[in-house]
Amino acid sequence: VQLQASGGGLVQAGGSLRLSCVASGRTFRSYVMSWFRQAPGKEREFVAGITRKDGVTAYANSVKGRFTITKDSAENTVTLQMNSLKAEDTAVYYCAADQPGRITIIQQVYHMDRYDYWGQGTQVTVSS
């Protein structure tokens, strides 16, 4: 399974960006696709996740009400719409997916060690 992330860039505080992650592979059967981020000098943290089949979502408290994660009907692309961006949103954003069976309920999506597939990361920089 390969994950290809795109859409990062430089934006002023209060602006918007949209990130996309496309999954490919013959046997892509992940339960969840999620976004994590890592700022310089900080640990990687969960941002948002969505179940591929029924679209149940989860968000970090820091992005609730500002970010929206969606999936396409083919279930292999997720989009993260980021609005009202703040300087503290500056980070490298990674998309991630689990192997079948590694995440079975939405409450598990927050844990980085549950994910087996990672994209290459895309830089988001928010200037204040």
Side-chain angles (χ1 to χ4, degrees), residues 4-67:
Q4 181 69 42
S6 61
L10 173 65
V11 66
Q12 289 187 334
S16 299
L17 280 175
R18 179 178 295 178
L19 306 182
S20 292
C21 177
V22 180
S24 61
R26 288 188 304 168
T27 58
F28 183 58
R29 300 194 188 102
S30 295
Y31 176 65
V32 165
M33 291 181 71
S34 295
W35 289 95
F36 285 74
R37 67 186 181 187
Q38 187 166 18
K42 295 187 177 181
E43 293 186 352
R44 194 170 297 188
E45 64 177 3
F46 174 81
V47 176
I50 188 167
T51 59
R52 292 179 59 240
K53 292 298 182 182
D54 50 15
V56 176
T57 59
Y59 295 93
N61 288 335
S62 59
V63 306
K64 279 182 181 176
R66 300 188 297 122
F67 292 10

Side-chain angles (χ1 to χ4, degrees), residues 77-93:
T77 301
V78 292
T79 299
L80 185 68
Q81 178 67 42
M82 305 185 295
N83 298 329
S84 303
L85 283 161
K86 305 175 181 179
E88 51 263 43
D89 295 318
T90 295
V92 177
Y93 284 68

